[in-house]
Amino acid sequence: MNREELLRPLTSSAEEVRAFEAWDAVPGFIDGAHVCTALMKGSEIHFAIVAEHRLRTVLRSRTREFLEPLLERYGFLTTRVALGRKAEQRFVQRMGFEPTWADHKFEYYLLAELPFERKTK
């Protein structure tokens, strides 16, 4: 799979693909099928799910499997969401990211531990 194919879930614009040149593309596969791509720049992560896998791919166990090596590598992950993008803000919070601060354009989030850990009694 080439970089353009990996970025397709995030963007189809050649201009936007060039904007992500400095970011590492981390693909996610299930049973050999490409289901998502994360873009990483240091500990900052942004990702998108391939359209045909939305609503059925983001299972807690799969999310943990995907994020675990990234958390091990960086120790924590960060992301940001444009202010006013409520659906995206809810999504990153469901993934376990906690809001840390905001500026005039973005709300910033931190993930310090692997999400969806089963609680023991």
Side-chain angles (χ1 to χ4, degrees):
M1 218 172 201
N2 66 37
R3 185 171 177 82
E4 187 174 316
E5 291 170 325
L6 290 176
L7 295 180
R8 198 164 289 134
L10 295 158
T11 181
S12 59
S13 157
E15 181 178 316
E16 288 179 346
V17 168
R18 282 191 300 279
F20 291 121
E21 283 179 357
W23 294 67
D24 293 327
V26 181
F29 295 92
I30 297 173
D31 299 327
H34 176 227
V35 297
C36 69
T37 298
L39 288 175
M40 301 288 306
K41 192 172 194 179
S43 65
E44 186 174 351
I45 185 171
H46 297 278
F47 69 96
I49 299 167
V50 175
E52 56 267 22
H53 294 281
R54 290 188 186 133
L55 303 176
R56 61 179 177 195
T57 298
V58 184
L59 302 175
R60 290 176 177 206
S61 61
R62 290 178 179 160
T63 300
R64 285 177 60 84
E65 284 175 17
F66 186 77
L67 292 175
E68 187 172 26
L70 299 174
L71 272 169
E72 286 176 0
R73 180 176 179 184
Y74 295 103
F76 63 91
L77 297 173
T78 62
T79 195
R80 59 189 158 137
V81 178
L83 294 177
R85 305 286 304 259
K86 298 297 182 191
E88 289 86 349
Q89 291 168 340
R90 285 191 302 271
F91 175 77
V92 298
Q93 289 180 337
R94 279 195 316 271
M95 294 294 105
F97 286 83
E98 296 183 12
T100 56
W101 65 287
D103 61 19
H104 66 285
K105 291 176 73 173
F106 297 102
E107 184 161 14
Y108 297 85
Y109 296 85
L110 174 72
L111 182 68
E113 58 188 46
L114 201 55
F116 312 124
E117 188 169 352
R118 291 184 184 250
K119 305 286 187 228
T120 57
K121 293 182 180 182

